[in-house]
Amino acid sequence: MSDEVRLPPLGEEVSSGIVLDVLVSPGDRVEADQPVLRLETDKATTEVPASSAGTVAEILVREGQEIRSGDPILRLEGGAGAESRRREGPGESRRDEDRGERPARRDEDRGERAEPGARDRARDDHDEAERRRAVDDGREQEGREDVRRAPPRQKPSESEDLPAPRATMEREAGVQAHDRRERAAFARERQAPSSMPRLGQPVAASPTVRRLARELGVEIGEVAGTGGGGAVTEEDVKSHVRHLLDRFRRTHDQAQPELPDFAAWGPVRREPMQAIRRATARSVARSWQQVPHVTQLDRADITELEAFRRRYADEVAKGGGKLTVTAILVKVCAAALHHFPHFNASLDLERAELVLKDYVHIGVAIDTPAGLLMPVLRDADSKGLGAIATELQSLAERARGRRVGADELKGASFAITNLGGLGTTAFTPIVAWPQVAILGVGRGEVQPVWRDGAFMPRTMLPLGITYDHRAVDGADAARFLRWIAETLEAPLRLTLEG
Amino acid sequence: MLRPELLVIGAGPGGYAAAFLAADLGLDVVVADPEAHPGGECLHRGCIPSKALLHIAEIIDESTHAAELGVSFGAPRVDVRRVRAWKDQVVQRLTGGLGQLVERRGIRHLRGMARLTGPHAAEVDVEGERVEVRFAHAIVATGGRAVRLPVFGESPRVLDSAAALELDGVPPRLLVVGGGYIGLEMATVYAALGSRVTIVEATAELLGGVDRDLVAPLARRLEGRVEDVLLGTTVVKARDTGDGVEVTFDGAEGATFDRVLVAVGRRARADGVGLLRTRAEVGPDGFVAVDAQRRTAEPSIFAVGDVTGEPQLAHKASHEGRVAVEAIAGRPSAFEPRALPAVVYTNPEIAWCGLTETEARERGIPCEVAKFPWSASGRALTLGRTDGLTKLVVDPASGRLLGAGVTGPRAGDLIAELCLALEMGARAADLEHTIHPHPSLSETVMEAAEVFAGTATHIFRRR
């Protein structure tokens, strides 16, 4: 008697992750809820618990493998439930093969990682698993719709990690399925002679054609029929799929021009993009494509602030925090956002509305060995400087140790990135869409400042605000940035707040 | 302990169709059912024995009718014992044949009721011995049971349809409670065998929900064959007097009957199956909730047939059983019929599929109705039966068939063509341009389509 432990749902927008470590070995006894796997999702690391107790009979995943919710992780023996022996039968035999081959493949991976054959096979296996999952997902979603009257299939989230081309195409098809306008346009494009797709109504198509559509994962209501009286024929379903493929290829070709053969100019090495790198790549590309960016620069005289910072550093350190310029900027920005609510907002272009947030959650860029992370300091407007410094310190440490939770990376309404510690003076960061602005901070330097007829040595902090010009204008940004600079110069102003 | 890949609970038309397909696909199957052979309610105590008896009724009716055509057989003498034996033989032959198919397919049949003990486990009580079954998937096909009316209490003179089909005798006076298809079929049988039958129905119409023009020929014919049809009437009191049942009606004069048949509907048999030990959900109406693949909220457990809801029809259950097995085998199946036929095997028969005219009007779906009365059919005339009707419900915009209904002898067979037409997305013109054999009742389908086009050969309509 054995039991499969499957990957539970990971959260709203996360459907997959990469196996970092397997924490148990075959033969180990595990208790229910005992962590058995460490999983790297978009930016966070999660521990996956066993759903029931038992002895580990077989491990069904390997390190570095991407797995999705519902995928089997382990086989436990001596638990409740049964996984029965299967006779070779259509639709079932493939799963048998998988089970049989997996241990062998794992050995190959351990032994000779670079052996190309093994890697290819592993990739095939991955693709196959991907395809099957897509089918399974479809089935489960259908199920949920009927039994629980859940809302229609969820739009695949932007943060979903689907590297394989086939999966990307599926996602594209899925997104398209939910964009009514696009669908209508698509139907016009097809120039169906007699009928437009009729959604939500029974489609005229024979049972055989309907079955073909199900097999290909085509929503038959989206297919324009060319048969008698607009009936959907087998050929219509196929040409619908061909059209989707074409379109996918076109967009894919545009997005990914072919790389030259670098090896022609010298030896090259390749390393896989880690999950954080990939997530960053995706999110900055999306922001870059969508957001019309403008950056404006300013400077703040922080001579007195520096004195204040030195004076209270020890006191804050007793509370476990570090009184950094960034911590002070979090406090100042939180106050500034109260005065300039349009910087604490998001654009809803679909409904032509500005979403103004009554909370102030500030994302702070942290440079970690694995890459850029932006943990979120929540309700910064209601916290004292000491508390902010302490919390920021803890967030930064946990981010560097990859111990920050997925929830702690979500929900920021504004962001700060401070490269000053590394010596940058000015730079143009990318707005973390759907936020509308980000504050870039450079290195403070002592500079001669003309004041009262003489040059004075003052510590000047370079500041930059990069914003989404669709949401705010240059004059607003100038006022916003000036407010921050002036507050840094006269921090007592903060005591007027509240 | 048994460890099959599939456990099928209940071997009615849903269960055995599922088990057979699963075995054909190479799955290891166990079926749990208390009967010696598969068949369930339909084959043992429902569709099949009732159709055997309805055949007898038809012979009696035809022989009487023959006198009008110049051939007299004299009054029929009914030997109830031999009729019963013949009916039983039909059932035995059919279920016995299924039993052999179970063996040949290597399906393990446990003779007992199964009770789920978890998402992958069940216990089957086989003659007092408990057999444990651990399965990957299970299909619950436990069917339904007749609703009882408390007003009649416990009396050997009050029967359900199963008891009425036992045919213990021909009661001189029979009360049929319920004007649905079971009540009407049994009324037809017993009236032909010689009972004086009264039908009582609480609502204002027989076969509620069915288009009135399809029911009208049956209602007319029943008038001469049953004692009384009491519509909008309920039973308020009933008392077993020792040699009859004294019944008081609300809305009609009371009377005494030798037997009472209660046929007021059927409920799901979802209790006692152990569904509470799983995540499967049972709705407030008592039916098990399933998705398009007939999967319950417990992913390893499916449910098909009467236990999942109306309409409670054997052919629906069989189709669902096959859909569930295909889903289990990883195929992209779904229960999404365009045409789910229903047949009432009265005389005349009434059959329909797809959208009814009544439903179209209620839901405000634009439709055009084309009717071809059998009085214009040569074949109907040669059978001496001109009381039939064939009708099509058509989408006026596309000319596509939305639904169809037929009343008349063999309507249950005629409806099959219309089911195919619906499933194929046919238009009325497709039926119109398909050559139908002459003379046949199937021509009425073609001619109804011609009526839609406004050019029926055998009907003249002044323009």
Side-chain angles (χ1 to χ4, degrees), chain A residues 476-488:
Chain A
D476 301 326
R479 282 189 278 268
F480 179 66
L481 199 54
R482 199 84 288 278
W483 197 96
I484 292 171
E486 283 169 9
T487 309
L488 290 171

Side-chain angles (χ1 to χ4, degrees), chain A residues 1 84-87 89-92 139 142-143 146-148 203-207 210-211 214-215 228-229 231, chain B residues 3 5 25-28 134 136 281 290-293 295 297 326-329 332-334 336 338 400 423-424 427:
Chain A
M1 193 166 70
S84 64
R85 165 189 58 84
R86 282 167 199 280
R87 229 192 288 161
E92 298 292 336
R139 181 167 59 206
E142 251 180 83
D146 265 61
V147 178
R148 303 188 195 275
V203 174
S206 76
R210 270 145 46 204
R211 172 168 286 241
R214 274 202 302 275
E215 277 170 3
Chain B
R3 295 168 174 279
E5 286 162 293
L25 293 180
L27 265 65
D28 184 16
R134 302 250 163 197
E281 288 168 17
V290 289
D291 67 10
Q293 292 191 317
R295 193 189 292 262
E326 291 196 313
I328 289 167
S333 64
E336 45 156 38
R338 298 284 184 272
R400 199 174 297 291
E423 288 291 351
M424 298 297 290
R427 285 169 297 165

Side-chain angles (χ1 to χ4, degrees), chain B residues 367-379:
Chain B
C367 73
E368 198 170 309
V369 176
K371 295 185 199 180
F372 185 80
W374 286 20
S375 52
S377 156
R379 186 68 181 116

Side-chain angles (χ1 to χ4, degrees), chain B residues 49-68:
Chain B
S50 66
K51 260 79 268 175
L53 295 180
L54 279 160
H55 176 60
I56 303 249
E58 191 183 340
I59 293 171
I60 295 170
D61 208 62
E62 289 278 289
S63 67
T64 319
H65 176 56
E68 294 169 30

